[in-house]
Amino acid sequence: MDPAPPTPPSADPAPRTLRVDGDVVRTVDQARLPFEHVELVLADAAGCARAITTMQVRGAPLIGAVAGFGLAFALRAADDDAALDAAVARLASTRPTAVNLRWALERIRAVVRPLPPGSRAVAARAEAIAIAEEDIAINRAIGVHGAAMLRGAAVRRAADGRPVGPGAPLQVLTHCNAGRLAAVAHGTALAPLYTLHAAGVPLHVWVDETRPRNQGASLTAWELADAGVPCTVIADNAGGQLMREGRVDAAIVGCDRVARNGDVANKIGTYLKALAARDAGVPFWVACPTPTIDAAMPDGAAIPIEARDPRELTHASGRAGDGRVVEVRLVPDGVAAFNPAFDVTPARLVDALVTEHGVVSADAAGVARALRAAGRALAD
Ligand code: MRU
């Protein structure tokens, strides 16, 4: 096999969750955060599929990027039409809800299908790199547009006589992890927060713990602390009360699939936060890269909701007093548990979609506008 061509350098200096290194891809094993920071080296399709299924890599944009490299790896072994279709099907089956996974695989399949066998693996790798680089640019742009929205929230608060300033930070709530760990860099929902923080705007983030896998407590808190952004972890059930008390200026979350009418699938619990935000008059925004829009999905009703292992609910792992990471059981033996991993927030509860092309309304017109700006057809 020919050695992999060199990876084009990226101009963006932001910390990367995923790096292409010759014939392998390097990332961090998110199943071991926050207590162990262990590099995960992906070198074949099976490893990529396993990493997505086990959530060593997770977050809609990141699993799309890793699936793309998985397909390129698969084509190194065999690249006829049957092998291509089998690899796409295998990788697409790893997780059902985030549409970025299928989007990336279909994009690469469309590029390599017309090429003669023998040249497809190199082309697939180049396309996977393009997807990863685009993810960085998309999220950087979401950071800029979302930061402008948050500055607006600060202005509104000042108009209420509570200006943002030293000792009185802008208060933002987020759910799950839609930060740099969930993407190639920057993150989606956290990108505006990093942009504001870099601009010196005083900021504090309420981080939903995000049961059952605790992506908020384990991952969002880890990366915000790492970046020096002040944050506080709260129980999932606390956000509504904080909003009612006027302690949240805006809520911003990521998304795993957005339907044509603006309905949003995201981590389980998002819907309840949107309901509480609407009741309390807190703006509720969704950071939405256009690859996360499913142009073929008319509304949220048919979005597949992943049901994960009930063990994620019945057990929890954490660091014991002696430093070991241990797993404990929380639920009485013999009691059933059900673990839907995502929910759908109706578009009417979403105040705006923050895309890389700007802020649009969460409705058919807004989604169509975002797709047009991205050069995509309405139903692809
Ligand atoms: O199950 P996960 O951890 O992959 O779920 C992640 C989320 O729900 C994120 O909010 C979503 O993928 C957006 S990531 C930028």
Side-chain angles (χ1 to χ4, degrees):
M1 195 182 62
D2 292 339
T7 309
S10 170
D12 192 317
R16 294 248 193 150
T17 301
L18 178 145
R19 283 183 182 282
V20 185
D21 183 7
D23 283 334
V24 303
V25 168
R26 297 181 188 277
T27 184
V28 56
D29 183 346
Q30 298 192 36
R32 297 174 73 170
L33 286 172
F35 303 117
E36 298 167 298
H37 192 268
V38 177
E39 186 180 61
L40 180 67
V41 181
L42 301 170
D44 57 29
C48 291
R50 192 169 46 249
I52 295 170
T53 306
T54 60
M55 295 179 64
Q56 290 172 294
V57 299
R58 33 74 44 209
L62 187 65
I63 63 179
V66 168
F69 286 104
L71 183 52
F73 290 143
L75 296 178
R76 288 197 310 214
D79 74 344
D80 55 67
D81 284 358
L84 171 63
D85 292 342
V88 168
R90 167 73 191 98
L91 286 157
S93 71
T94 50
R95 292 195 74 189
T97 302
V99 77
N100 305 59
L101 180 64
R102 283 184 171 279
W103 170 84
L105 293 169
E106 293 304 344
R107 174 168 153 174
I108 295 174
R109 174 154 54 186
V111 166
V112 304
R113 174 77 87 188
L115 303 177
S119 61
R120 290 173 166 179
V122 168
R125 179 178 180 275
E127 196 64 16
I129 290 172
I131 287 170
E133 290 296 324
E134 282 171 31
D135 184 63
I136 298 172
I138 284 171
N139 298 338
R140 191 176 50 238
I142 286 175
V144 172
H145 297 305
M149 299 285 280
L150 288 166
R151 284 183 190 276
V155 169
R156 281 192 296 280
R157 199 178 95 174
D160 282 351
R162 294 180 302 118
V164 170
L170 188 70
Q171 301 283 352
V172 183
L173 181 141
T174 194
H175 190 68
C176 193
N177 174 262
R180 69 174 164 88
L181 287 169
V184 180
H186 299 292
T188 60
L190 296 195
L193 306 182
Y194 290 136
T195 303
L196 278 191
H197 180 67
V201 176
L203 191 66
H204 169 261
V205 187
W206 297 110
V207 177
D208 286 353
E209 60 175 348
T210 319
R211 284 281 293 148
R213 283 188 69 98
N214 295 319
Q215 288 95 327
S218 300
L219 304 177
T220 300
W222 181 85
E223 68 163 88
L224 287 174
D226 187 55
V229 179
C231 65
T232 303
V233 174
I234 53 173
D236 285 327
N237 296 330
Q241 181 61 18
L242 293 183
M243 291 188 218
R244 289 193 62 230
E245 290 172 0
R247 299 172 74 180
V248 180
D249 296 308
I252 184 162
V253 301
C255 54
D256 289 83
R257 194 183 298 227
V258 173
R260 278 207 314 259
N261 72 339
D263 288 352
V264 171
N266 190 48
K267 180 55 53 191
I268 193 79
T270 302
Y271 171 46
L272 287 176
K273 288 301 139 66
L275 280 170
R278 178 57 55 91
D279 188 56
V282 171
F284 187 88
W285 299 321
V286 174
C288 172
T290 56
T292 312
I293 298 174
D294 185 348
M297 186 66 67
D299 57 46
I303 295 177
I305 301 295
E306 177 180 18
R308 291 190 61 86
D309 189 344
R311 192 178 176 89
E312 292 181 349
L313 199 52
T314 56
H315 291 69
S317 67
R319 189 157 64 190
D322 63 6
R324 283 177 309 126
V325 175
V326 295
E327 187 186 67
V328 294
R329 189 174 171 95
L330 304 174
V331 175
D333 289 330
V335 173
F338 175 51
N339 183 18
F342 297 92
D343 61 25
V344 175
T345 298
R348 65 185 157 76
L349 296 177
V350 177
D351 290 301
L353 300 173
V354 185
T355 81
E356 70 271 27
H357 299 292
V359 178
V360 298
S361 51
D363 55 21
V367 171
R369 219 178 108 203
L371 285 172
R372 264 196 314 276
R376 281 175 61 194
L378 213 51
D380 47 17

